[in-house]
Amino acid sequence: MRRRLAALAVCAAVIFAAACSGDALPAPPPPPPMHPMPGASGAGDPYYPDDGNGGYDALGYQVDATYDPPSGHLDGDTTVTAKATQDLSRFDLDLRGLDVHSVEVDGKPAKFTREKAFELVVTPPSPIRAGTTFRTRVRYGGDPAKTSHGGGSENGWQHSADGGAFMVGEPHSAAFWYPVNETPRDKATFTLTAHVPAGWTVISNGREGPPGTWTEPNPVASYLTTIAIGKFSVDRSTLPDGTPVVSAYAPGAEARRATGSRLPEVLGFLSGKFGPYPQSAAGGIYLDEDIHFSLETQTRPTYAKWAELATLVHESAHQWFGDSVSLKDWSDICLNECFASYAQWLWAEREGQNLDDRYRAAIDITRGSTDFWSQKLVGMGQGHEFEGVYNKGILALHALRREIGDPAFNRLLHDWPSRFRHGNATWADFETMATQVSGRNLHEFFDVWFRGTKLPADADLFPGSLRS
């Protein structure tokens, strides 16, 4: 009896390792061998081949920034959570200027070097297996306003009139103040915790937490993240569905509340055209700065001092076209700007304007302008992205509307943001959807209007009701 109980005890002790018969269970297979390689130092956009990086998918940024307005000094502590898409021996982040003090990968010190204009090259203590989620912590600092920038819509870190600072720019923005995979192809969540002296206010993307803390839970393209530090007056409210609205007005911009207060009305109108508002929050950052552009920073656009109601409509439309549905390549910028610009016409139509009359008047003015019609709206070439999309792009979309009719056009405006919500899309995707929705072959029309460099023939220039 004792001998039998002992045998049973032995069987119970090894039940998960071997059967009582003595046959061993098969050992789990060893992990496949790794073949670590460096991640690419660019994401593949032909216009900006050095932008972004390969080998991983950024999932989220946690940015901790301490900024001293009098000295202009910033100390940053950013953690990038990412998933390896290959076996990685090393990988890059984008960071412009600023001195890097230390880098850790999953809590262990990592080697790092700076290469080219803005590559931060990180070598982890051991290779990272494909499919692994890893965290990279970078501590850094300096005066971001001293980092050179390209001008135009690349604004760099700027000091504001009240002694604070703000950061807006396109296509380059985020890498001026935190390490990032700076490409719209790799969207990620974003959290900012900012520390500033008493009397200063920090405004950023998404939902407001404790003072200086902002969280955007929806994926965001990095150039659409922002920070503004100033002596702001802040208004807080909610949309009818409970979405929080935070609008901040810099000293000298307080009178813009008359414009900012119309945001719920504008978003309600656009939701009727494009579908439900896709963002986690709403509002605006109203600067008293004479920069030559406003920018659709996600959830909370940043407005120059000259911005008025039409600009509010434009930047609000971007929350669907450009922010929620983001481009993959900068050659497809018409997906952002043509539609946001046409939203201004839709608003004017709401106010009683006859868009066909407005269109014909614009054709009369531009008919003899070779420069106007030579601007491509798709595949325009690096450096020419923002030349035709704000004016010729409006005419092209109105012509498309008349070509396919209002029912199909309205469905297109609604279905596009729904189909690619919080993702990326291409101009080819849009042409495919337009063809499917309209049930027509539109290849020649798109060639003439969006890839063409000449005044369209009358059949394409005056389609549908525009012929009468």
Side-chain angles (χ1 to χ4, degrees), residues 297-317:
T297 41
Q298 189 157 311
T299 70
R300 197 154 288 109
T302 304
Y303 296 101
K305 67 185 302 180
W306 47 261
E308 50 193 7
L309 182 59
T311 309
L312 180 75
V313 173
H314 181 105
E315 306 305 341
S316 296

Side-chain angles (χ1 to χ4, degrees), residues 14 112 130 139 175 207 268 273 278 306 323 332 373 399 403-404:
V14 299
F112 64 91
R139 296 180 178 92
R207 292 179 174 248
K273 296 291 185 181
W306 47 261
D323 291 23
D332 291 345
W373 293 103
E403 176 73 20
I404 66 177

Side-chain angles (χ1 to χ4, degrees), residues 385-447:
E385 299 94 317
F386 302 101
E387 291 178 359
V389 289
Y390 301 103
N391 40 46
K392 183 182 175 184
I394 297 175
L395 302 184
L397 285 185
H398 192 66
L400 174 63
R401 178 180 175 181
R402 292 301 180 234
E403 176 73 20
I404 66 177
D406 271 2
F409 186 76
N410 292 338
R411 181 182 166 194
L412 188 59
L413 291 183
H414 185 278
D415 289 1
W416 175 259
S418 175
R419 167 67 178 82
F420 294 99
R421 181 182 173 93
H422 297 321
N424 295 81
T426 67
W427 183 257
D429 293 327
F430 179 76
E431 289 195 19
T432 297
M433 179 176 281
T435 298
Q436 292 171 344
V437 167
S438 67
R440 299 181 55 185
N441 184 345
L442 299 170
H443 183 75
E444 182 180 349
F445 179 91
F446 282 120
D447 270 351

Side-chain angles (χ1 to χ4, degrees), residues 69 95 247 265 306 308 335 421 433 454:
L95 183 64
S247 292
E265 177 189 0
W306 47 261
E308 50 193 7
L335 291 172
R421 181 182 173 93
M433 179 176 281
K454 297 179 180 179

Side-chain angles (χ1 to χ4, degrees), residues 26-233:
M34 292 179 65
H35 302 284
M37 296 285 289
S41 62
D45 190 314
Y47 287 9
Y48 300 95
D50 292 331
D51 285 10
N53 307 285
Y56 63 90
D57 172 23
L59 304 177
Y61 296 95
Q62 291 181 300
V63 181
D64 191 293
T66 300
Y67 185 71
D68 179 57
S71 67
H73 186 86
L74 180 145
D75 285 311
D77 186 346
T78 292
T79 297
V80 183
T81 302
K83 185 175 183 179
T85 57
Q86 65 175 70
D87 294 338
L88 282 172
S89 60
R90 72 177 204 182
F91 59 91
D92 291 15
L93 293 166
D94 299 316
L95 183 64
R96 299 170 184 271
L98 302 176
D99 298 320
V100 176
H101 306 315
S102 66
V103 179
E104 297 175 0
V105 176
D106 289 334
K108 297 179 181 179
K111 297 179 181 179
F112 64 91
T113 59
R114 307 295 291 273
E115 296 182 4
K116 299 181 181 178
F118 51 84
E119 298 289 340
L120 172 60
V121 182
V122 178
T123 302
S126 58
I128 301 170
R129 184 177 294 276
T132 300
T133 297
F134 63 100
R135 291 169 177 80
T136 305
R137 183 180 184 182
V138 183
R139 296 180 178 92
Y140 55 98
D143 184 345
K146 292 182 178 179
T147 302
S148 61
H149 57 88
S153 296
E154 185 180 298
N155 204 54
W157 184 280
Q158 296 286 312
H159 295 296
S160 52
D162 64 358
F166 61 96
M167 181 68 245
V168 289
E170 184 182 12
H172 304 126
S173 176
F176 284 98
W177 64 293
Y178 66 92
V180 61
N181 195 20
E182 193 162 48
T183 170
R185 295 183 178 196
D186 194 7
K187 300 166 69 169
T189 61
F190 175 79
T191 297
L192 170 66
T193 302
H195 313 276
V196 292
W200 295 93
T201 299
V202 176
I203 306 293
S204 186
N205 309 86
R207 292 179 174 248
E208 186 177 20
T213 301
W214 299 86
T215 299
E216 174 50 283
N218 293 331
V220 54
S222 60
Y223 78 97
L224 299 172
T225 63
T226 192
I227 183 173
I229 302 150
K231 304 283 189 177
F232 293 108
S233 300

